[in-house]
């Protein structure tokens, strides 16, 4: 066998978030290198492949993270030169907030060695599932917290804002303390209060990573953020300040009666569910893509154990696989009828799920991708069964964006990421931060309110989207049209076109657009000096400013 | 360091039903596993950092690291 490099992720639940394709890559490697967040995960990986070695010792006190990463890259490449097949496993998604995997793949390919990244459940996937947030509903901007502060930017406070590593603001060296810069957190809180009211409710979130512990979900007013219980692994979620009014001319041009908002008003930040009073429960899960390859161990077990399984998938093979796993499996797809409104189809499918739960069954509803991301029906179904006194929960899966990150070799953390649903982007006056990567959902369905069987994009809607983007990007700016591979024998579909040709690009109803940053955000010198001042008390820390 | 605790939580991570049983009746589920009284007390604490440390955690303190 020729040498090869496969970079994989473990997710955030020891073995529970591992996918079938990930375990296969780990087991078949000549050398397994790993950087994981806990001993149980390390021990589990060792049972899959005894030829393993931890990369953790690349982190040393006082050594910058960039130096640690460079060492990891060299250690991934070294066995390739000896002709070995290397698998490198990172916690979470291997391409998110982690540069070594991308860099090692780039360098391996440069010398003709086969190298690939497999998608995995990311920290953001866990956040969306645990908080039951649909980032497609009103848009979502995501930044590393130091980068957010240190660069001059315009962002949209009427969409979700997610800030990572709020406990390590301005610090570039590895530290052992739970929080690396409390004063930096206070500076962030002050800065955010220039855009949101002091009593605006925000969430400090941390995935637990252990099945015996719940995630940390602290809902606090923004004014209390500076003194909140925060660690380096904490993430801040800031809900939208409000919903911007739709542009009447854009709505009319698309022939829509009003600007569509997916999901119920007020569910942007769902409240903790009340205790269930009746038997019967709904569990909503995601299947990832690639049929059985990207389903997690946790999800596969739930599917097998369900008393009633419903599914809605985008490929012709997964249905048979699910029926083999669980004979009760029923497709929800017949809920769609040509020309029928999307709302009507959702109502019918939710009613079928609700009937089974009301009958007292343990019901699992399985969907392609991540079940919480741009899947209006999943959120509606959970709300419906909870309203009847039943329990409901949502578990993370591998999303289309996880696949896009792995297939295109992107790290959305490098310059931040903005995500918007295409119709929302066209019909509402969004502030686009063109210094971030932009992901546009459903570009082929702009202005489509009724089910249509065609696979090709709705042409008038795609034209409107191209014109909307042209207000922010020059005509020659590149746009990637992306479709995840739905079957293991296929490759992902990727077309790179200049923006001026987007309206004629091969966009389908399941395409996603990736628009790279237009420029690097300018450094904010005043903020840099203020941030440096917050670090004066910690002389051991190398500052990132 | 307790490898038994690491194996216990790894087994739960693969099996949602066992995970649920633990949340309803932690003592009953732990009773049939080879766990010391200290292991059981740590597991019932619900403190993720404490459990990781008890497992002999070698991992980085943060889930995310980035060169800024």
């Amino acid at each position: 066998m020729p040498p090869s490099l496969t970079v994989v992720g473990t997710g955030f639940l020891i073995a529970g978030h591992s996918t079938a394709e990930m375990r296969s890559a780990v087991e078949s490697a000549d050398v397994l290198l790993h950087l994981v967040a806990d001993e149980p995960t390390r021990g589990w990986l060792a049972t899959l492949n005894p030829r393993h070695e931890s990369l953790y010792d690349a982190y040393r006190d006082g050594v910058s993270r960039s130096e640690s990463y460079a060492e990891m890259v060299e250690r991934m490449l070294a066995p390739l030169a000896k002709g070995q097949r290397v698998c490198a496993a990172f916690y979470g998604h291997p391409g998110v907030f982690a540069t070594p995997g991308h860099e090692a793949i780039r360098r391996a390919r440069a010398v003709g060695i086969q190298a690939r990244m497999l998608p995995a459940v990311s920290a953001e996937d866990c956040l969306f599932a645990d908080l039951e947030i649909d980032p497609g509903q009103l848009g979502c901007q995501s930044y590393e917290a130091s980068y957010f502060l240190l660069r001059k930017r315009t962002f949209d406070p009427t969409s979700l804002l997610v800030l990572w590593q709020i406990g390590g603001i301005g610090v570039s060296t590895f530290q052992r303390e739970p929080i690396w810069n409390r004063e930096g957190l206070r500076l962030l809180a002050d800065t955010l209060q220039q855009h949101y009211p002091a009593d605006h409710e925000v969430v400090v979130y941390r995935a637990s990573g252990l099945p015996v512990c719940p995630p940390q979900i602290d809902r606090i007013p923004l004014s209390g953020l500076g003194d909140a219980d925060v660690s380096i692994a904490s993430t801040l979620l800031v809900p939208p300040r409000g919903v911007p009014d739709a542009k009447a001319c854009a709505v009319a041009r698309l022939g829509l009666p009003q600007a569509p908002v997916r999901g119920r008003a007020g569910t942007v930040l769902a409240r903790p569910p009340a205790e269930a009073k009746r038997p019967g429960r709904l569990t909503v899960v995601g299947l990832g893509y690639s049929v059985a390859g990207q389903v997690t161990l946790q999800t596969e077990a739930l599917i097998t154990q369900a008393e009633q399984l419903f599914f809605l998938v985008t490929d012709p093979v997964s249905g048979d696989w699910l029926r083999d796993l669980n004979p009760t499996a029923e497709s929800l797809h017949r809920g769609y009828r040509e020309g029928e409104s999307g709302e009507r189809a959702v109502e019918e499918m939710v009613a079928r799920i609700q009937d089974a739960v009301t009958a007292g069954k343990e019901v699992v509803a399985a969907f392609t991708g991540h079940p919480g991301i741009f899947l209006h029906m999943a959120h509606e179904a959970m709300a419906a069964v909870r309203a009847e006194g039943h329990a409901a929960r949502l578990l993370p899966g591998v999303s289309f964006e996880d696949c896009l990150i792995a297939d295109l070799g992107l790290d959305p953390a490098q310059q931040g990421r903005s995500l918007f649903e295409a119709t929302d982007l066209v019909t509402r006056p969004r502030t686009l931060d063109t210094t971030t990567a932009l992901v546009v959902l459903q570009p082929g369905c702009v202005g489509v309110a009724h089910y249509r069987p065609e696979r090709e994009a709705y042409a008038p809607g795609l034209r409107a989207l191209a014109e909307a983007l042209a207000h922010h990007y020059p005509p020659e700016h590149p746009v990637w049209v992306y479709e995840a591979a739905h079957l293991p024998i296929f490759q992902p579909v990727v077309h790179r076109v200049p923006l001026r040709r987007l309206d004629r690009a091969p966009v389908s109803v399941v395409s996603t657009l990736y628009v790279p940053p237009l420029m690097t955000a300018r450094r904010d010198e005043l903020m840099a000096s203020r941030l440096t001042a917050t670090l004066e008390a910690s002389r051991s820390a190398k500052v990132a400013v | 360091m307790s490898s038994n605790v690491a194996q216990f939580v790894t087994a739960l991570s693969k099996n949602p039903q066992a995970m649920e049983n633990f949340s309803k009746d932690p003592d009953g589920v732990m009773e049939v596993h080879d766990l010391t009284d200290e292991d059981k007390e740590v597991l019932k604490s619900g403190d993720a950092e404490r459990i990781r440390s008890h497992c002999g955690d070698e991992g980085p303190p943060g889930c995310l690291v980035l060169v800024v």
Side-chain angles (χ1 to χ4, degrees):
Chain A
M1 295 282 281
S4 64
L5 172 64
T6 308
V7 180
V8 303
T10 62
F12 288 97
L13 191 64
I14 312 177
H17 286 167
S18 69
T19 63
E21 62 182 17
M22 173 267 182
R23 294 191 299 278
S24 174
V26 168
E27 288 170 333
S28 62
D30 297 320
V31 179
L32 170 64
L33 301 167
H34 53 75
L35 182 70
V36 294
D38 53 66
E39 176 61 21
T41 307
R42 190 202 62 76
W44 169 69
L45 288 171
T47 66
L48 296 183
N49 190 328
R51 302 171 296 280
H52 68 94
E53 178 186 320
S54 173
L55 292 170
Y56 178 61
D57 55 9
Y59 286 123
R60 289 183 290 278
D61 287 343
V63 173
S64 74
R65 282 179 272 177
S66 58
E67 291 173 85
S68 301
Y69 279 3
E71 180 181 326
M72 291 178 201
V73 171
E74 295 304 326
R75 287 167 67 177
M76 282 186 265
L77 296 174
L80 297 173
K82 300 176 191 167
Q84 294 182 303
R85 288 169 300 156
V86 178
C87 180
F90 293 82
Y91 49 85
H93 188 301
V96 178
F97 281 86
T99 56
H102 289 304
E103 177 64 8
I105 287 173
R106 189 188 65 75
R107 286 181 52 187
R109 285 177 177 165
V111 293
I113 292 174
Q114 185 186 359
R116 62 177 180 158
M117 179 178 284
L118 300 180
V121 170
S122 70
E124 199 166 60
D125 292 329
C126 296
L127 181 148
F128 293 147
D130 286 336
L131 295 176
E132 297 179 11
I133 293 169
D134 181 352
Q137 189 179 338
L138 287 171
C140 179
Q141 300 151 109
S142 180
Y143 300 92
E144 197 275 340
S146 299
Y147 191 77
F148 177 78
L149 276 180
L150 284 168
R151 303 282 171 163
K152 289 188 175 177
R153 65 179 72 260
T154 51
F155 71 101
D156 190 343
T158 61
S159 65
L160 290 166
L161 177 65
V162 179
L163 298 176
W164 302 95
Q165 300 188 141
I166 59 172
I169 291 173
V171 182
S172 70
T173 47
F174 177 75
Q175 311 283 309
R176 295 196 180 275
E177 295 78 20
I179 180 166
W180 297 357
N181 185 4
R182 172 67 67 181
E183 288 305 314
L185 181 64
R186 293 191 174 117
L187 179 59
L188 174 65
D190 289 346
T191 304
L192 289 173
Q193 285 181 68
Q194 295 168 16
H195 304 277
Y196 303 90
D199 61 354
H200 192 66
E201 188 181 63
V202 299
V203 179
V204 174
Y205 170 83
R206 181 177 180 180
S208 93
L210 292 173
V212 293
C213 302
Q216 178 194 4
I217 300 174
D218 293 340
R219 297 163 196 269
I220 57 172
L222 179 56
S223 57
L225 175 62
D227 297 313
D229 177 12
V230 163
S231 81
I232 181 59
S234 298
T235 300
L236 179 70
L237 176 88
V238 186
R241 199 176 56 194
V243 181
D245 289 336
K247 296 179 285 188
C249 55
V251 173
R253 179 182 166 187
L254 291 172
L256 294 168
Q258 60 189 25
V261 176
R262 269 79 175 182
R264 298 163 184 234
T267 58
V268 173
L269 191 53
R271 308 308 306 178
E275 193 172 340
K277 296 175 182 151
R278 302 170 67 183
R281 175 172 61 173
L282 172 63
T283 303
V284 180
V285 299
L287 303 170
Y289 296 85
S290 194
V291 196
Q294 290 170 6
V295 71
T296 65
L297 266 185
Q298 178 191 43
T299 290
E300 188 166 342
L302 285 163
I303 286 171
T304 306
Q305 294 161 3
E307 293 176 296
Q308 174 67 60
L309 174 65
F310 293 107
F311 65 88
L312 189 64
V313 294
T314 53
D315 69 80
V317 180
S318 291
D320 288 342
W321 164 63
L322 290 166
R323 288 186 193 94
D324 284 343
L325 283 181
N326 188 323
T328 70
E330 287 181 30
S331 172
L332 291 166
H333 192 262
R334 66 183 179 187
Y336 287 121
R337 295 186 192 91
E338 188 175 347
E340 189 177 54
S341 76
E343 283 302 312
R344 176 68 194 274
V346 167
E347 283 172 17
E348 185 178 316
M349 290 186 269
V350 167
R352 287 179 63 195
I353 293 170
Q354 194 172 7
D355 286 348
V357 175
T358 305
K361 293 181 178 176
E362 279 286 336
V363 177
V364 170
F367 302 92
T368 298
H370 185 304
I373 300 179
F374 208 65
L375 197 62
H376 172 37
M377 181 174 41
H379 295 274
E380 285 291 318
M382 290 200 303
V385 301
R386 281 177 179 156
E388 297 288 323
H390 303 281
R393 57 182 171 169
L394 191 151
L395 302 179
V398 172
S399 72
F400 67 91
E401 193 179 15
D402 296 325
C403 297
L404 183 147
I405 289 163
D407 289 333
L408 298 188
L410 311 170
D411 182 352
Q414 284 290 312
Q415 290 178 280
R417 187 272 278 128
S418 302
L419 180 150
F420 287 98
E421 190 271 327
T423 302
D424 180 85
L425 197 57
V426 169
T427 57
R428 296 188 192 278
R430 292 292 180 193
T431 303
L432 267 192
D433 182 353
T434 54
T435 69
T436 71
L438 170 66
V439 175
V440 182
L441 303 173
Q442 298 207 330
C445 302
V446 174
V448 176
H450 293 76
Y451 178 69
R452 53 193 283 278
E454 294 86 4
R455 184 175 166 79
E456 295 75 29
Y458 178 58
L462 186 59
R463 274 197 298 276
L465 174 63
E467 288 172 21
L469 290 173
H471 290 300
H472 303 277
Y473 299 92
E476 296 303 322
H477 194 68
V479 176
W480 274 261
V481 180
Y482 172 82
E483 284 179 29
H486 286 250
L487 295 175
I489 55 173
F490 292 162
Q491 294 294 315
V493 178
V494 182
H495 298 283
R496 184 178 185 271
V497 297
L499 176 57
R500 64 182 167 75
R501 293 192 59 194
L502 176 61
D503 59 343
R504 286 161 284 160
V507 176
S508 80
V509 293
V510 294
S511 297
T512 299
L513 298 188
Y514 163 68
V515 186
L518 181 59
M519 65 188 94
T520 300
R522 282 186 299 125
R523 181 179 161 89
D524 187 334
E525 296 297 344
L526 178 60
M527 183 60 75
S529 63
R530 292 179 68 189
L531 193 47
T532 302
T534 68
L535 289 160
E536 284 177 353
S538 177
R539 291 184 181 177
S540 65
K542 285 187 183 176
V543 296
V545 292
Chain B
M1 174 174 170
S2 171
S3 60
N4 287 348
V5 170
Q7 288 170 13
F8 177 76
V9 293
T10 302
L12 292 197
S13 78
K14 298 178 192 173
N15 186 341
Q17 187 59 54
M19 221 153 93
E20 190 164 346
N21 293 344
F22 176 83
S23 66
K24 287 178 183 165
D25 179 17
D27 291 322
V29 172
M30 290 191 292
E31 200 54 49
V32 298
H33 287 79
D34 187 16
L35 298 165
T36 66
D37 287 345
E38 185 189 5
D39 293 341
K40 292 174 186 173
E41 192 269 322
V42 171
L43 281 166
K44 283 170 69 176
S45 73
D47 182 337
E49 288 312 313
R50 195 172 162 211
I51 295 168
R52 283 199 186 91
S53 174
H54 191 67
C55 289
D57 182 12
E58 69 152 14
C63 290
L64 307 163
V65 278
L66 175 78
V67 178
V68 178

